[in-house]
Amino acid sequence: MASIRGKDTKPELVIRSILHKRGLRFRLHRRDLPGKPDLVFPKHRAVLFVHGCFWHGHNCHLFSMPRSRRDFWQQKITRNCERDLEQRQTLIESGWRVATVWECALMGRSRLHVAEIGEYCAAWLKSEVAELDVRGREAEPL
């Protein structure tokens, strides 16, 4: 577990790279915001989370509940999902717009093209839409 990264994961680095190439500037992991969002766009008053499908309980082909210590993992993942929802709600109530890019959008059989994800995020940042959820093609709606 100690080798599991919370910051600078491969999916996060891919998203940062594609958005930076599009001229979008951001801050990383601001501690003063709920959930320490992966990317913060102060100019657009928007935050973006890059979630791993396993750790955040996403209903897609990349998620499967471990067979050992099932109760522990069920509680842990359920609590992660609850915390995500609380943090998202707190951010929205304080005037921030929130986007989530799921790991399945970047890898696996249902992945989207990276340029497509960049286009979704860039268009969302320029809009007034409060929330964005980018997931792989085959993922079930939340």
Side-chain angles (χ1 to χ4, degrees), residues 34-36 49 51 80 82-92 98:
K36 292 187 266 184
F49 291 97
H51 281 338
N80 287 350
E82 290 168 355
R83 189 178 312 112
D84 291 343
L85 197 58
E86 291 165 8
Q87 292 165 348
R88 185 181 198 98
Q89 197 60 38
T90 303
L91 285 163
I92 290 170
V98 181

XYZ file of all heavy atoms in Angstrom, residues 34-36 49 51 80 82-92 98:
153
model
N -11.351 21.550 -0.403
C -11.755 20.204 -0.007
C -11.289 19.158 -1.025
O -11.474 19.318 -2.229
C -13.281 20.271 0.020
C -13.604 21.713 0.174
C -12.486 22.458 -0.504
N -10.670 18.097 -0.543
C -10.242 17.005 -1.410
C -8.907 17.230 -2.092
O -8.458 16.385 -2.853
N -8.280 18.372 -1.866
C -7.021 18.716 -2.545
C -7.092 18.326 -4.028
O -6.441 17.386 -4.469
C -5.829 18.030 -1.881
C -5.536 18.556 -0.501
C -4.263 17.992 0.047
C -4.600 16.772 0.873
N -3.470 16.179 1.544
N -10.576 16.599 -10.795
C -10.059 15.418 -10.112
C -9.790 14.342 -11.156
O -10.589 14.161 -12.080
C -11.089 14.862 -9.119
C -11.331 15.732 -7.923
C -12.402 16.609 -7.899
C -10.508 15.667 -6.820
C -12.645 17.403 -6.800
C -10.731 16.464 -5.710
C -11.805 17.337 -5.695
N -9.613 10.495 -11.054
C -9.908 9.397 -10.132
C -9.527 8.047 -10.716
O -9.841 7.753 -11.870
C -11.398 9.355 -9.808
C -11.849 10.362 -8.803
N -11.016 10.963 -7.884
C -13.073 10.870 -8.560
C -11.706 11.789 -7.124
N -12.963 11.763 -7.522
N -14.600 6.108 0.617
C -13.983 6.968 -0.396
C -15.053 7.636 -1.258
O -14.972 8.837 -1.537
C -13.032 6.181 -1.285
C -11.742 5.802 -0.595
O -11.454 6.266 0.500
N -10.976 4.942 -1.224
N -18.216 8.189 -0.480
C -18.950 9.154 0.332
C -18.147 10.452 0.486
O -18.689 11.544 0.364
C -19.243 8.564 1.717
C -20.262 7.457 1.700
C -20.326 6.693 3.022
O -19.489 6.975 3.935
O -21.199 5.819 3.145
N -16.853 10.318 0.743
C -15.984 11.480 0.907
C -15.921 12.284 -0.392
O -15.970 13.515 -0.375
C -14.579 11.044 1.331
C -13.694 12.194 1.738
C -12.313 11.745 2.200
N -12.340 10.648 3.151
C -11.906 9.407 2.888
N -11.403 9.098 1.722
N -11.958 8.473 3.812
N -15.810 11.587 -1.530
C -15.799 12.272 -2.830
C -17.050 13.115 -3.000
O -16.987 14.269 -3.436
C -15.719 11.266 -3.982
C -14.386 10.555 -4.074
O -13.393 11.037 -3.483
O -14.337 9.505 -4.744
N -18.194 12.540 -2.675
C -19.472 13.233 -2.817
C -19.542 14.456 -1.886
O -19.969 15.536 -2.305
C -20.614 12.268 -2.511
C -21.999 12.660 -2.964
C -22.033 12.879 -4.469
C -22.994 11.582 -2.571
N -19.095 14.291 -0.639
C -19.087 15.398 0.319
C -18.193 16.538 -0.172
O -18.580 17.707 -0.132
C -18.579 14.915 1.683
C -19.519 13.980 2.401
C -18.833 13.245 3.563
O -17.665 13.574 3.895
O -19.471 12.343 4.124
N -16.998 16.192 -0.635
C -16.054 17.206 -1.097
C -16.575 17.912 -2.343
O -16.466 19.139 -2.466
C -14.693 16.574 -1.363
C -14.019 16.098 -0.101
C -12.855 15.172 -0.347
O -12.647 14.682 -1.448
N -12.079 14.917 0.699
N -17.154 17.152 -3.246
C -17.717 17.725 -4.469
C -18.814 18.727 -4.118
O -18.858 19.828 -4.654
C -18.240 16.589 -5.351
C -18.740 17.015 -6.686
C -19.253 15.783 -7.458
N -19.345 16.078 -8.846
C -18.440 15.763 -9.758
N -17.366 15.106 -9.428
N -18.623 16.082 -11.015
N -19.691 18.323 -3.192
C -20.797 19.188 -2.784
C -20.285 20.459 -2.113
O -20.768 21.554 -2.389
C -21.728 18.418 -1.839
C -23.080 19.052 -1.685
C -23.829 19.151 -2.998
O -23.773 18.258 -3.835
N -24.519 20.245 -3.198
N -19.289 20.328 -1.252
C -18.709 21.483 -0.572
C -18.098 22.456 -1.576
O -18.271 23.677 -1.465
C -17.634 21.042 0.448
O -18.234 20.133 1.372
C -17.055 22.220 1.196
N -17.386 21.929 -2.567
C -16.785 22.780 -3.594
C -17.856 23.526 -4.381
O -17.751 24.736 -4.611
C -15.921 21.943 -4.542
C -14.575 21.495 -3.980
C -14.000 20.352 -4.814
C -13.614 22.662 -3.931
N -18.897 22.834 -4.789
C -19.969 23.452 -5.567
C -20.677 24.528 -4.741
O -20.947 25.622 -5.235
C -20.959 22.384 -6.083
C -20.271 21.535 -7.161
C -22.231 23.020 -6.619
C -21.042 20.313 -7.590
N -16.774 21.651 -10.765
C -16.027 20.417 -10.489
C -16.101 19.460 -11.679
O -17.176 19.166 -12.191
C -16.588 19.712 -9.238
C -15.802 18.449 -8.934
C -16.580 20.646 -8.035
